[in-house]
Amino acid sequence: MEFENILVEREEPLAILTINRPSKLNALNKATIEELHQALKVLEKDNSIRVIIITGSGEKAFIAGADISEFASFSLSEGSQLAAKGQELLFDFVQNISKPVIAAINGFALGGGLELAMAADFRIASDNAKMGLPEVTLGVIPGYGGTQRLPQLVGKGRAMEMILTANMIDAETAKSYGLVNHVVPQQQLLHFTKEIALKIAKNSPSAIGKAIKAINANFKDGVNGFHEEIKAFGECFATEDFKEGTTAFLEKRKADFKGL
């Protein structure tokens, strides 16, 4: 896969997606959102890829927000359509994809950048990372899920403060808030993230996909997460991975999961 704004590296069983617009501090524009969507669609169907890592090029920025020049003159309907299309193509897609997605935050993660990181299953940050949702300084609010996912991750009060003040927080503060899981030196970020990803990749892909779906169900209006868990738990018993996992355990050997 070759794209203009992103790089796709395959290190089976991992794939690394890198937003590659260094002159724009990797800012998200419509073309980049579309390219990420297309790459993720292909990787989701690729059985050799079990975990996806998203990061930014260079040492300054993960994604320093959206490309403001694209929407500065938008009307009400155009603004609504921008948010709806972006959420459908990328942010909701990342959250609901059946394979684990880890955000490796290597610098500034602002606006749409932080929103993309929050859509991932979890986040690991370099020690120089800064995070924030500065949209209100532009007379707009986060439109790619920020007002919804940030309170889920850090609580309503902290989310209100971050969004209403537009202040950035550093990596250690983000860790103390529960926004990121780990903070590591920048030069170790990808190596550390890959180590965690490889631990995930050893486990049952079918069970992992069902676990992601069940966990996400708890955050959906009108959905009973416990019922979704029971359903997904039962479905596991019909998979080849379940047979392989239990047989391997009883035979005292490592399981060889196929994701079936």
Side-chain angles (χ1 to χ4, degrees):
M1 291 181 284
E2 291 188 7
F3 298 98
E4 183 179 347
N5 299 297
I6 66 173
L7 303 174
V8 182
E9 299 172 84
R10 301 167 58 89
E11 298 180 15
E12 296 177 7
L14 312 181
I16 298 95
L17 295 184
T18 304
I19 293 85
N20 187 36
R21 302 183 74 213
S23 65
K24 299 283 188 180
L25 292 179
N26 304 323
L28 283 179
N29 59 2
K30 288 187 287 186
T32 304
I33 288 173
E34 178 63 40
E35 288 184 6
L36 284 166
H37 174 73
Q38 294 301 327
L40 287 162
K41 275 205 310 184
V42 171
L43 293 171
E44 184 176 30
K45 295 176 182 176
D46 188 336
N47 292 332
S48 67
I49 299 299
R50 296 195 174 180
V51 184
I52 300 166
I53 297 169
I54 298 178
T55 193
S57 63
E59 298 182 350
K60 291 183 178 180
F62 172 70
I63 301 168
D67 195 332
I68 296 167
S69 63
E70 275 198 341
F71 60 80
S73 61
F74 273 18
S75 66
L76 185 155
S77 61
E78 288 173 320
S80 297
Q81 186 178 12
L82 178 73
K85 193 68 173 176
Q87 289 195 32
E88 176 190 354
L89 284 178
L90 184 57
F91 300 86
D92 290 348
F93 192 88
V94 166
Q95 178 171 307
N96 294 309
I97 197 171
S98 60
K99 295 183 178 181
V101 178
I102 306 171
I105 303 173
N106 57 305
F108 289 108
L110 305 176
L114 181 55
E115 288 173 302
L116 179 55
M118 291 192 293
D121 293 303
F122 60 91
R123 291 142 293 283
I124 300 169
S126 59
D127 52 9
N128 68 317
K130 304 273 182 155
M131 286 155 258
L133 295 174
E135 284 86 347
V136 296
T137 66
L138 301 172
V140 72
I141 69 169
Y144 289 143
T147 65
Q148 306 305 299
R149 292 189 178 99
L150 187 60
Q152 291 172 1
L153 291 165
V154 307
K156 180 181 177 182
R158 282 175 172 157
M160 282 284 193
E161 182 179 351
M162 285 181 65
I163 292 170
L164 301 186
T165 64
N167 284 345
M168 288 189 295
I169 59 173
D170 60 23
E172 287 297 338
T173 302
K175 182 181 175 184
S176 73
Y177 282 6
L179 184 54
V180 302
N181 289 24
H182 306 278
V183 177
V184 297
Q186 186 172 62
Q187 63 270 24
Q188 297 176 21
L189 177 63
L190 266 184
H191 176 74
F192 184 89
T193 305
K194 288 176 185 178
E195 283 189 331
I196 293 179
L198 288 171
K199 290 179 181 178
I200 295 171
K202 292 177 182 177
N203 299 320
S204 160
S206 63
I208 283 172
K210 294 181 192 307
I212 291 170
K213 186 176 179 181
I215 292 167
N216 285 339
N218 185 54
F219 298 97
K220 293 181 178 178
D221 290 339
V223 177
N224 186 312
F226 290 100
H227 290 172
E228 290 299 314
E229 180 185 274
I230 291 166
K231 179 184 174 185
F233 179 77
E235 289 171 349
C236 289
F237 285 75
T239 66
E240 292 299 319
D241 275 6
F242 172 74
K243 295 175 185 176
E244 169 62 15
T246 52
T247 300
F249 177 81
L250 294 172
E251 294 178 353
K252 296 181 172 56
R253 62 174 174 82
K254 290 184 178 180
D256 181 19
F257 293 116
K258 305 297 186 185
L260 303 172

